[in-house]
Amino acid sequence: MTNQNGNQNGNQNENRNGNAGTTRDERFAHGLDVLRAVDGEAGQRVIDSLADIHPEMAHQIVAWGFGEIYARPGLAPRDRQLVTIGMLTALGGCEPQLEVHLNAALNVGLTPAQITEALLHAAGYCGFPKALNATFVAKKVFEERGLLAGPATSA
């Protein structure tokens, strides 16, 4: 028999990925560990900012977004951040989220040079306006972290 959550045999603690026996609180706790490892304080600020308007959104970002998606073994954290930066750049209008993920990219080992190279690469697919907007967000993040290099010369 299938219950209201789409689970077989009435096991309400089993989610779609087969995590039998994990509770909602346990999935949230696992996701919070992943969020803190990847995003650090910036991620926690996003979650905290949702507490008074949409706590369920915060829960889903943590439990599903980080506990289920970011925790998957198929991509290394740095690769996930490259994909995320590319997607947010291409979408445009996601600068607050891009700022969080640029910080996360640095947290998981990407360098400013790798990030700016990815943004240049994105320009060919989503256009210079979106890539420039993302580059200016990266500049802000790099400045805040003391990572902004001096003026570059073109090749």
Side-chain angles (χ1 to χ4, degrees):
M1 177 172 207
T2 302
N3 69 17
Q4 66 186 14
N5 295 322
N7 301 322
Q8 299 275 326
N9 302 323
N11 182 355
Q12 296 203 15
N13 288 331
E14 184 173 346
N15 66 20
R16 290 185 196 134
N17 290 332
N19 292 335
T22 60
T23 67
R24 177 179 167 88
D25 289 342
E26 289 168 336
R27 288 189 297 273
F28 183 84
H30 172 65
L32 197 55
D33 288 342
V34 175
L35 173 94
R36 288 177 176 152
V38 173
D39 283 350
E41 291 178 18
Q44 186 64 53
R45 282 193 299 274
V46 171
I47 301 310
D48 292 346
S49 72
L50 291 167
D52 60 349
I53 188 162
H54 205 332
E56 184 60 23
M57 175 77 77
H59 178 87
Q60 294 301 324
I61 289 168
V62 173
W64 184 77
F66 284 87
E68 296 290 331
I69 301 301
Y70 268 83
R72 293 179 56 83
L75 290 173
R78 67 176 305 283
D79 298 333
R80 287 190 189 282
Q81 288 306 318
L82 276 174
V83 171
T84 303
I85 289 167
M87 296 294 283
L88 292 173
T89 298
L91 284 169
C94 302
E95 287 75 14
Q97 292 79 23
L98 183 59
E99 183 176 345
V100 170
H101 286 283
L102 287 165
N103 273 296
L106 294 166
N107 292 346
V108 297
L110 286 167
T111 66
Q114 291 168 324
I115 291 168
T116 55
E117 185 65 27
L119 296 175
L120 178 61
H121 186 75
Y125 292 89
C126 64
F128 279 104
K130 289 180 179 179
L132 281 169
N133 289 344
T135 299
F136 291 130
V137 175
K139 179 179 180 178
K140 177 181 184 253
V141 169
F142 298 164
E143 284 175 339
E144 289 172 352
R145 292 179 72 147
L147 300 173
L148 193 62
T153 57
S154 60

